[in-house]
Amino acid sequence: GLVIDGRSLEHVLHDSLQNIFLELTEKCRAVVCCQATPLQKSVLVRLVRNKLKAMTLAVGDGANDVSMIQVADTGVGISGQEGMQAVMASDFAISQFRHLRKLLLVHGHWCYTRLTNMVLYFFYKNVAYVNLLFWYQFFCGFSGTSMTDYWILILFNLLFTSVPPIIYGVLDKDVSAEMLLQLPQLYMMSQ
């Protein structure tokens, strides 16, 4: 890990030292910046995101973290004594820092698996409907007549596009939360 303070960060963020600093951060599993200004935080996150093409996560608890949270790919706001500005600017909000582990490992894993299954589901639904239209064209002699009324098409898309994903999203949990917290490497497998 790398821990750097605001004064050191001020020198490192100059154009001549940025590449050396980025090489050092690539060798670290975690980089912690303490006593940094809001501008330094956002510049650092933008630098890592653009130069290293890495996915960034910013966690903040106050108004001074808003710019960093907005620049990051995923922003997490912690509601606390400093106000609700970070929570309002973030993608996810948690009440205490200790809930970050569950947010990432449990809900992140479930989100990955649900999204991949939903992509497959939508592909299957569209293939089934286009296949139906294709074979209907042989039946009607390629006249271009509509196979169904428009309200049936709307109902089809409404029922087969919204209801199954909602039910699946609420009920599906491939691995229990306790198991995901005990084995953090399962998060990488979901990706």
Side-chain angles (χ1 to χ4, degrees):
L2 172 67
V3 179
I4 187 167
D5 66 340
R7 289 184 184 172
S8 303
L9 197 59
E10 183 179 329
H11 299 293
V12 167
L13 291 178
H14 287 296
D15 292 334
S16 60
L17 296 176
Q18 281 182 356
N19 291 332
I20 297 170
F21 178 68
L22 287 174
E23 287 177 20
L24 177 63
T25 59
E26 279 184 308
K27 295 179 176 144
C28 299
R29 294 188 68 160
V31 177
V32 178
C33 300
C34 53
Q35 298 175 346
T37 65
L39 181 62
Q40 287 175 330
K41 294 175 187 178
S42 65
V43 167
L44 183 63
V45 171
R46 184 177 290 118
L47 182 71
V48 169
R49 183 178 173 191
N50 294 340
K51 296 270 179 129
L52 296 180
K53 304 294 183 205
M55 185 169 284
T56 55
L57 169 73
V59 181
D61 66 345
N64 58 344
D65 299 323
V66 168
S67 59
M68 171 186 66
I69 288 171
Q70 290 177 336
V71 169
D73 291 311
T74 304
V76 178
I78 302 173
S79 61
Q81 296 175 346
E82 292 188 31
M84 297 294 287
Q85 289 88 355
V87 171
M88 298 300 287
S90 65
D91 300 312
F92 299 98
I94 54 178
S95 61
Q96 295 177 350
F97 190 77
R98 65 185 172 101
H99 298 302
L100 183 64
R101 184 170 187 227
K102 186 172 183 181
L103 175 70
L104 294 176
L105 296 179
V106 176
H107 296 288
H109 174 86
W110 287 344
C111 183
Y112 271 122
T113 57
R114 289 173 183 158
L115 284 176
T116 54
N117 287 326
M118 284 302 102
V119 168
L120 294 174
Y121 171 78
F122 287 129
F123 181 73
Y124 170 74
K125 179 193 74 84
N126 289 331
V127 165
Y129 188 70
V130 168
N131 194 19
L132 185 66
L133 290 175
F134 175 75
W135 289 109
Y136 179 73
Q137 291 304 314
F138 287 110
F139 178 74
C140 72
F142 296 95
S143 66
T145 59
S146 178
M147 179 180 73
T148 59
D149 290 333
Y150 289 111
W151 66 271
I152 293 175
L153 181 61
I154 291 170
L155 188 65
F156 173 81
N157 276 327
L158 181 68
L159 288 178
F160 288 104
T161 305
S162 63
V163 175
I166 290 172
I167 293 171
Y168 184 76
V170 170
L171 300 177
D172 183 60
K173 295 175 182 169
D174 61 338
V175 181
S176 68
E178 294 80 20
M179 185 64 70
L180 289 169
L181 288 173
Q182 289 175 0
L183 299 171
Q185 58 269 26
L186 290 175
Y187 181 80
M188 294 299 290
M189 291 175 56
S190 67
Q191 292 179 339

